[in-house]
PDB file of all heavy atoms in Angstrom:
ATOM      1  N   VAL A 218      -7.271  -6.946   9.337  1.00  0.00           N
ATOM      2  CA  VAL A 218      -7.351  -5.519   9.481  1.00  0.00           C
ATOM      3  C   VAL A 218      -6.753  -4.839   8.258  1.00  0.00           C
ATOM      4  O   VAL A 218      -5.719  -5.223   7.729  1.00  0.00           O
ATOM      5  CB  VAL A 218      -6.491  -5.103  10.731  1.00  0.00           C
ATOM      6  CG1 VAL A 218      -6.381  -3.576  10.840  1.00  0.00           C
ATOM      7  CG2 VAL A 218      -7.018  -5.647  11.993  1.00  0.00           C
ATOM      8  N   GLN A 219      -7.470  -3.826   7.816  1.00  0.00           N
ATOM      9  CA  GLN A 219      -7.055  -3.023   6.673  1.00  0.00           C
ATOM     10  C   GLN A 219      -7.076  -1.515   6.990  1.00  0.00           C
ATOM     11  O   GLN A 219      -7.968  -1.073   7.679  1.00  0.00           O
ATOM     12  CB  GLN A 219      -7.958  -3.319   5.441  1.00  0.00           C
ATOM     13  CG  GLN A 219      -7.843  -4.750   4.958  1.00  0.00           C
ATOM     14  CD  GLN A 219      -8.668  -4.996   3.748  1.00  0.00           C
ATOM     15  OE1 GLN A 219      -9.368  -4.142   3.208  1.00  0.00           O
ATOM     16  NE2 GLN A 219      -8.693  -6.254   3.284  1.00  0.00           N
ATOM     17  N   LEU A 220      -6.166  -0.808   6.437  1.00  0.00           N
ATOM     18  CA  LEU A 220      -6.119   0.644   6.554  1.00  0.00           C
ATOM     19  C   LEU A 220      -5.929   1.220   5.193  1.00  0.00           C
ATOM     20  O   LEU A 220      -5.113   0.738   4.408  1.00  0.00           O
ATOM     21  CB  LEU A 220      -4.997   1.064   7.455  1.00  0.00           C
ATOM     22  CG  LEU A 220      -4.967   0.592   8.966  1.00  0.00           C
ATOM     23  CD1 LEU A 220      -4.314  -0.777   9.057  1.00  0.00           C
ATOM     24  CD2 LEU A 220      -4.285   1.623   9.792  1.00  0.00           C
ATOM     25  N   VAL A 221      -6.690   2.198   4.920  1.00  0.00           N
ATOM     26  CA  VAL A 221      -6.659   2.884   3.582  1.00  0.00           C
ATOM     27  C   VAL A 221      -6.546   4.324   3.868  1.00  0.00           C
ATOM     28  O   VAL A 221      -7.444   5.037   4.310  1.00  0.00           O
ATOM     29  CB  VAL A 221      -7.869   2.514   2.724  1.00  0.00           C
ATOM     30  CG1 VAL A 221      -7.718   3.240   1.375  1.00  0.00           C
ATOM     31  CG2 VAL A 221      -7.985   1.033   2.535  1.00  0.00           C
ATOM     32  N   GLU A 222      -5.469   4.914   3.392  1.00  0.00           N
ATOM     33  CA  GLU A 222      -5.181   6.329   3.537  1.00  0.00           C
ATOM     34  C   GLU A 222      -5.691   7.139   2.289  1.00  0.00           C
ATOM     35  O   GLU A 222      -5.729   6.543   1.228  1.00  0.00           O
ATOM     36  CB  GLU A 222      -3.648   6.686   3.698  1.00  0.00           C
ATOM     37  CG  GLU A 222      -3.025   5.975   4.842  1.00  0.00           C
ATOM     38  CD  GLU A 222      -2.313   4.738   4.370  1.00  0.00           C
ATOM     39  OE1 GLU A 222      -2.655   4.144   3.357  1.00  0.00           O
ATOM     40  OE2 GLU A 222      -1.343   4.343   5.044  1.00  0.00           O
ATOM     41  N   SER A 223      -5.878   8.370   2.477  1.00  0.00           N
ATOM     42  CA  SER A 223      -6.270   9.234   1.363  1.00  0.00           C
ATOM     43  C   SER A 223      -5.955  10.693   1.772  1.00  0.00           C
ATOM     44  O   SER A 223      -5.767  11.059   2.936  1.00  0.00           O
ATOM     45  CB  SER A 223      -7.786   9.110   0.993  1.00  0.00           C
ATOM     46  OG  SER A 223      -8.629   9.536   2.037  1.00  0.00           O
ATOM     47  N   GLY A 224      -5.867  11.546   0.774  1.00  0.00           N
ATOM     48  CA  GLY A 224      -5.701  12.939   1.025  1.00  0.00           C
ATOM     49  C   GLY A 224      -4.330  13.530   0.576  1.00  0.00           C
ATOM     50  O   GLY A 224      -4.163  14.709   0.619  1.00  0.00           O
ATOM     51  N   LEU A 236      -5.045  14.470   5.892  1.00  0.00           N
ATOM     52  CA  LEU A 236      -5.002  13.117   5.510  1.00  0.00           C
ATOM     53  C   LEU A 236      -6.044  12.287   6.354  1.00  0.00           C
ATOM     54  O   LEU A 236      -6.265  12.574   7.512  1.00  0.00           O
ATOM     55  CB  LEU A 236      -3.636  12.491   5.739  1.00  0.00           C
ATOM     56  CG  LEU A 236      -2.470  13.233   5.121  1.00  0.00           C
ATOM     57  CD1 LEU A 236      -1.152  12.481   5.469  1.00  0.00           C
ATOM     58  CD2 LEU A 236      -2.659  13.264   3.605  1.00  0.00           C
ATOM     59  N   SER A 237      -6.683  11.327   5.668  1.00  0.00           N
ATOM     60  CA  SER A 237      -7.672  10.513   6.279  1.00  0.00           C
ATOM     61  C   SER A 237      -7.306   9.060   6.137  1.00  0.00           C
ATOM     62  O   SER A 237      -6.570   8.661   5.233  1.00  0.00           O
ATOM     63  CB  SER A 237      -9.068  10.807   5.684  1.00  0.00           C
ATOM     64  OG  SER A 237      -9.465  12.105   5.827  1.00  0.00           O
ATOM     65  N   CYS A 238      -7.852   8.217   7.025  1.00  0.00           N
ATOM     66  CA  CYS A 238      -7.681   6.876   6.987  1.00  0.00           C
ATOM     67  C   CYS A 238      -8.949   6.119   7.409  1.00  0.00           C
ATOM     68  O   CYS A 238      -9.611   6.518   8.348  1.00  0.00           O
ATOM     69  CB  CYS A 238      -6.509   6.455   7.911  1.00  0.00           C
ATOM     70  SG  CYS A 238      -6.049   4.711   7.921  1.00  0.00           S
ATOM     71  N   VAL A 239      -9.235   5.064   6.699  1.00  0.00           N
ATOM     72  CA  VAL A 239     -10.344   4.256   7.026  1.00  0.00           C
ATOM     73  C   VAL A 239      -9.805   2.892   7.506  1.00  0.00           C
ATOM     74  O   VAL A 239      -9.056   2.227   6.786  1.00  0.00           O
ATOM     75  CB  VAL A 239     -11.340   4.036   5.934  1.00  0.00           C
ATOM     76  CG1 VAL A 239     -12.480   3.058   6.305  1.00  0.00           C
ATOM     77  CG2 VAL A 239     -11.921   5.389   5.525  1.00  0.00           C
ATOM     78  N   VAL A 240     -10.175   2.462   8.680  1.00  0.00           N
ATOM     79  CA  VAL A 240      -9.730   1.190   9.269  1.00  0.00           C
ATOM     80  C   VAL A 240     -10.891   0.163   9.345  1.00  0.00           C
ATOM     81  O   VAL A 240     -12.031   0.595   9.670  1.00  0.00           O
ATOM     82  CB  VAL A 240      -9.165   1.374  10.672  1.00  0.00           C
ATOM     83  CG1 VAL A 240      -8.670   0.038  11.230  1.00  0.00           C
ATOM     84  CG2 VAL A 240      -8.121   2.387  10.660  1.00  0.00           C
ATOM     85  N   SER A 241     -10.626  -0.987   8.963  1.00  0.00           N
ATOM     86  CA  SER A 241     -11.689  -2.043   9.020  1.00  0.00           C
ATOM     87  C   SER A 241     -11.064  -3.372   9.462  1.00  0.00           C
ATOM     88  O   SER A 241      -9.907  -3.565   9.422  1.00  0.00           O
ATOM     89  CB  SER A 241     -12.337  -2.221   7.577  1.00  0.00           C
ATOM     90  OG  SER A 241     -11.341  -2.671   6.626  1.00  0.00           O
ATOM     91  N   TRP A 252       0.244   8.075  12.573  1.00  0.00           N
ATOM     92  CA  TRP A 252       0.577   8.568  11.263  1.00  0.00           C
ATOM     93  C   TRP A 252       2.167   8.700  11.220  1.00  0.00           C
ATOM     94  O   TRP A 252       2.778   9.252  12.112  1.00  0.00           O
ATOM     95  CB  TRP A 252       0.029   9.966  10.965  1.00  0.00           C
ATOM     96  CG  TRP A 252      -1.444   9.907  10.744  1.00  0.00           C
ATOM     97  CD1 TRP A 252      -2.437  10.082  11.607  1.00  0.00           C
ATOM     98  CD2 TRP A 252      -2.078   9.618   9.488  1.00  0.00           C
ATOM     99  NE1 TRP A 252      -3.690   9.917  11.034  1.00  0.00           N
ATOM    100  CE2 TRP A 252      -3.437   9.618   9.716  1.00  0.00           C
ATOM    101  CE3 TRP A 252      -1.641   9.365   8.202  1.00  0.00           C
ATOM    102  CZ2 TRP A 252      -4.427   9.420   8.669  1.00  0.00           C
ATOM    103  CZ3 TRP A 252      -2.521   9.126   7.192  1.00  0.00           C
ATOM    104  CH2 TRP A 252      -3.930   9.205   7.424  1.00  0.00           C
ATOM    105  N   TRP A 292     -13.153   4.467  13.796  1.00  0.00           N
ATOM    106  CA  TRP A 292     -12.166   3.933  12.875  1.00  0.00           C
ATOM    107  C   TRP A 292     -11.843   4.766  11.694  1.00  0.00           C
ATOM    108  O   TRP A 292     -11.565   4.262  10.597  1.00  0.00           O
ATOM    109  CB  TRP A 292     -12.521   2.495  12.493  1.00  0.00           C
ATOM    110  CG  TRP A 292     -12.787   1.627  13.647  1.00  0.00           C
ATOM    111  CD1 TRP A 292     -13.986   1.128  14.068  1.00  0.00           C
ATOM    112  CD2 TRP A 292     -11.774   1.206  14.656  1.00  0.00           C
ATOM    113  NE1 TRP A 292     -13.783   0.399  15.271  1.00  0.00           N
ATOM    114  CE2 TRP A 292     -12.513   0.450  15.617  1.00  0.00           C
ATOM    115  CE3 TRP A 292     -10.454   1.444  14.811  1.00  0.00           C
ATOM    116  CZ2 TRP A 292     -11.810  -0.133  16.729  1.00  0.00           C
ATOM    117  CZ3 TRP A 292      -9.774   0.849  15.921  1.00  0.00           C
ATOM    118  CH2 TRP A 292     -10.463   0.089  16.863  1.00  0.00           C
ATOM    119  N   ASN A 293     -11.906   6.066  11.932  1.00  0.00           N
ATOM    120  CA  ASN A 293     -11.613   6.991  10.863  1.00  0.00           C
ATOM    121  C   ASN A 293     -10.631   8.024  11.313  1.00  0.00           C
ATOM    122  O   ASN A 293     -11.022   9.215  11.539  1.00  0.00           O
ATOM    123  CB  ASN A 293     -12.920   7.632  10.311  1.00  0.00           C
ATOM    124  CG  ASN A 293     -13.858   6.657   9.706  1.00  0.00           C
ATOM    125  OD1 ASN A 293     -14.686   6.145  10.341  1.00  0.00           O
ATOM    126  ND2 ASN A 293     -13.742   6.473   8.330  1.00  0.00           N
ATOM    127  N   PRO A 294      -9.440   7.673  11.529  1.00  0.00           N
ATOM    128  CA  PRO A 294      -8.399   8.615  11.986  1.00  0.00           C
ATOM    129  C   PRO A 294      -8.052   9.632  10.851  1.00  0.00           C
ATOM    130  O   PRO A 294      -8.194   9.310   9.665  1.00  0.00           O
ATOM    131  CB  PRO A 294      -7.219   7.760  12.343  1.00  0.00           C
ATOM    132  CG  PRO A 294      -7.354   6.548  11.483  1.00  0.00           C
ATOM    133  CD  PRO A 294      -8.842   6.311  11.363  1.00  0.00           C
ATOM    134  N   TYR A 309       3.151   9.182   3.340  1.00  0.00           N
ATOM    135  CA  TYR A 309       2.555   9.175   4.665  1.00  0.00           C
ATOM    136  C   TYR A 309       1.739   7.967   4.814  1.00  0.00           C
ATOM    137  O   TYR A 309       0.910   7.540   3.981  1.00  0.00           O
ATOM    138  CB  TYR A 309       1.685  10.434   4.826  1.00  0.00           C
ATOM    139  CG  TYR A 309       2.519  11.688   5.037  1.00  0.00           C
ATOM    140  CD1 TYR A 309       3.346  12.191   4.014  1.00  0.00           C
ATOM    141  CD2 TYR A 309       2.426  12.319   6.258  1.00  0.00           C
ATOM    142  CE1 TYR A 309       4.123  13.294   4.277  1.00  0.00           C
ATOM    143  CE2 TYR A 309       3.146  13.474   6.531  1.00  0.00           C
ATOM    144  CZ  TYR A 309       3.999  13.907   5.508  1.00  0.00           C
ATOM    145  OH  TYR A 309       4.761  15.067   5.740  1.00  0.00           O
ATOM    146  N   TYR A 310       1.867   7.331   6.014  1.00  0.00           N
ATOM    147  CA  TYR A 310       1.208   6.081   6.365  1.00  0.00           C
ATOM    148  C   TYR A 310       0.283   6.235   7.599  1.00  0.00           C
ATOM    149  O   TYR A 310       0.625   6.909   8.546  1.00  0.00           O
ATOM    150  CB  TYR A 310       2.182   4.963   6.579  1.00  0.00           C
ATOM    151  CG  TYR A 310       3.095   4.620   5.464  1.00  0.00           C
ATOM    152  CD1 TYR A 310       4.337   5.306   5.322  1.00  0.00           C
ATOM    153  CD2 TYR A 310       2.804   3.632   4.572  1.00  0.00           C
ATOM    154  CE1 TYR A 310       5.150   5.032   4.262  1.00  0.00           C
ATOM    155  CE2 TYR A 310       3.570   3.374   3.488  1.00  0.00           C
ATOM    156  CZ  TYR A 310       4.779   4.033   3.340  1.00  0.00           C
ATOM    157  OH  TYR A 310       5.636   3.692   2.308  1.00  0.00           O
ATOM    158  N   CYS A 311      -0.799   5.545   7.545  1.00  0.00           N
ATOM    159  CA  CYS A 311      -1.609   5.239   8.721  1.00  0.00           C
ATOM    160  C   CYS A 311      -1.293   3.881   9.234  1.00  0.00           C
ATOM    161  O   CYS A 311      -1.213   2.915   8.362  1.00  0.00           O
ATOM    162  CB  CYS A 311      -3.093   5.420   8.374  1.00  0.00           C
ATOM    163  SG  CYS A 311      -4.161   5.119   9.778  1.00  0.00           S
ATOM    164  N   ALA A 312      -1.028   3.662  10.393  1.00  0.00           N
ATOM    165  CA  ALA A 312      -0.677   2.370  10.995  1.00  0.00           C
ATOM    166  C   ALA A 312      -1.352   2.164  12.332  1.00  0.00           C
ATOM    167  O   ALA A 312      -1.780   3.105  12.988  1.00  0.00           O
ATOM    168  CB  ALA A 312       0.839   2.218  11.105  1.00  0.00           C
ATOM    169  N   TYR A 334      -0.235  -3.202  11.716  1.00  0.00           N
ATOM    170  CA  TYR A 334      -0.937  -3.063  10.480  1.00  0.00           C
ATOM    171  C   TYR A 334      -0.615  -1.713   9.884  1.00  0.00           C
ATOM    172  O   TYR A 334      -0.554  -0.697  10.509  1.00  0.00           O
ATOM    173  CB  TYR A 334      -2.475  -3.104  10.692  1.00  0.00           C
ATOM    174  CG  TYR A 334      -2.866  -4.356  11.622  1.00  0.00           C
ATOM    175  CD1 TYR A 334      -3.171  -4.182  12.941  1.00  0.00           C
ATOM    176  CD2 TYR A 334      -2.934  -5.610  10.992  1.00  0.00           C
ATOM    177  CE1 TYR A 334      -3.535  -5.287  13.749  1.00  0.00           C
ATOM    178  CE2 TYR A 334      -3.293  -6.672  11.797  1.00  0.00           C
ATOM    179  CZ  TYR A 334      -3.627  -6.467  13.122  1.00  0.00           C
ATOM    180  OH  TYR A 334      -3.988  -7.561  13.887  1.00  0.00           O
ATOM    181  N   TRP A 335      -0.504  -1.763   8.558  1.00  0.00           N
ATOM    182  CA  TRP A 335      -0.087  -0.576   7.767  1.00  0.00           C
ATOM    183  C   TRP A 335      -0.977  -0.361   6.591  1.00  0.00           C
ATOM    184  O   TRP A 335      -1.408  -1.376   5.926  1.00  0.00           O
ATOM    185  CB  TRP A 335       1.353  -0.661   7.320  1.00  0.00           C
ATOM    186  CG  TRP A 335       2.375  -0.671   8.393  1.00  0.00           C
ATOM    187  CD1 TRP A 335       2.683  -1.703   9.292  1.00  0.00           C
ATOM    188  CD2 TRP A 335       3.167   0.415   8.790  1.00  0.00           C
ATOM    189  NE1 TRP A 335       3.691  -1.284  10.134  1.00  0.00           N
ATOM    190  CE2 TRP A 335       3.978  -0.003   9.844  1.00  0.00           C
ATOM    191  CE3 TRP A 335       3.314   1.743   8.366  1.00  0.00           C
ATOM    192  CZ2 TRP A 335       4.915   0.818  10.466  1.00  0.00           C
ATOM    193  CZ3 TRP A 335       4.241   2.603   8.956  1.00  0.00           C
ATOM    194  CH2 TRP A 335       5.065   2.131  10.030  1.00  0.00           C
ATOM    195  N   GLY A 336      -1.258   0.867   6.311  1.00  0.00           N
ATOM    196  CA  GLY A 336      -1.860   1.182   5.018  1.00  0.00           C
ATOM    197  C   GLY A 336      -0.804   1.176   3.949  1.00  0.00           C
ATOM    198  O   GLY A 336       0.368   0.998   4.127  1.00  0.00           O
ATOM    199  N   GLN A 337      -1.288   1.410   2.739  1.00  0.00           N
ATOM    200  CA  GLN A 337      -0.374   1.435   1.571  1.00  0.00           C
ATOM    201  C   GLN A 337       0.400   2.726   1.424  1.00  0.00           C
ATOM    202  O   GLN A 337       1.378   2.816   0.684  1.00  0.00           O
ATOM    203  CB  GLN A 337      -1.148   1.158   0.280  1.00  0.00           C
ATOM    204  CG  GLN A 337      -1.736  -0.215   0.243  1.00  0.00           C
ATOM    205  CD  GLN A 337      -0.650  -1.302   0.274  1.00  0.00           C
ATOM    206  OE1 GLN A 337       0.274  -1.269  -0.512  1.00  0.00           O
ATOM    207  NE2 GLN A 337      -0.877  -2.240   1.188  1.00  0.00           N
ATOM    208  N   GLY A 338      -0.025   3.776   2.115  1.00  0.00           N
ATOM    209  CA  GLY A 338       0.614   5.083   2.035  1.00  0.00           C
ATOM    210  C   GLY A 338       0.018   6.034   1.000  1.00  0.00           C
ATOM    211  O   GLY A 338      -0.632   5.588   0.059  1.00  0.00           O
ATOM    212  N   THR A 339       0.127   7.283   1.240  1.00  0.00           N
ATOM    213  CA  THR A 339      -0.353   8.292   0.394  1.00  0.00           C
ATOM    214  C   THR A 339       0.754   9.310   0.229  1.00  0.00           C
ATOM    215  O   THR A 339       1.414   9.695   1.151  1.00  0.00           O
ATOM    216  CB  THR A 339      -1.628   8.948   0.852  1.00  0.00           C
ATOM    217  OG1 THR A 339      -2.128   9.905  -0.062  1.00  0.00           O
ATOM    218  CG2 THR A 339      -1.482   9.631   2.203  1.00  0.00           C
TER     219      THR A 339
END
Side-chain angles (χ1 to χ4, degrees):
V218 175
Q219 296 182 0
L220 299 87
V221 181
E222 305 98 333
S223 63
L236 304 179
S237 299
C238 182
V239 176
V240 181
S241 62
W252 288 94
W292 304 112
N293 296 91
Y309 284 67
Y310 299 90
C311 181
Y334 311 101
W335 293 78
Q337 295 299 308
T339 184

